[in-house]
Amino acid sequence: MDRQLLSGNEAIALGAAHAGMAAAATYPGTPSTEILEAVARFPGIYIEWTSKEAVEVSTGFWSTRVRGWLVIIAADNPGIPSSQNEQCPRNYA
């Protein structure tokens, strides 16, 4: 395998594609937008941009068409680098 220089979001997409991901859904917005953009480069993976809850779309797709695993990525902005308010789920983890 060749060495690649990837962002963290691109590495998540590459790992998911190599693990056999069949579908991905998210809402457009930083800091997670780049994950689905990177996933879209891999053929054969169904992607969906949703204006509602990506978890609902994903679990619906998973329960009707895909058998396997479901991964939820919490991509928030501790310290407000790119959002209007601080969003940090670490206290809920």
Side-chain angles (χ1 to χ4, degrees):
M1 179 179 285
D2 295 328
R3 286 184 134 186
Q4 297 181 34
L5 180 61
L6 303 171
S7 70
N9 288 338
E10 291 170 323
I12 290 169
L14 179 63
H18 283 289
M21 178 172 57
T26 191
Y27 59 90
T30 60
S32 63
T33 302
E34 294 85 7
I35 297 172
L36 198 60
E37 289 174 346
V39 167
R41 295 184 204 130
F42 296 99
I45 300 174
Y46 173 82
I47 63 166
E48 183 172 330
W49 293 101
T50 176
S51 61
K52 296 291 181 187
E53 292 297 324
V55 172
E56 291 174 4
V57 171
S58 298
T59 55
F61 186 82
W62 176 77
S63 66
T64 59
R65 297 166 70 184
V66 175
R67 298 292 180 246
W69 40 269
L70 173 65
V71 176
I72 298 173
I73 299 170
D76 291 329
N77 287 321
I80 319 175
S82 63
S83 293
Q84 295 177 354
N85 58 352
E86 185 167 5
Q87 303 165 0
C88 182
R90 290 177 285 184
N91 292 332
Y92 300 109

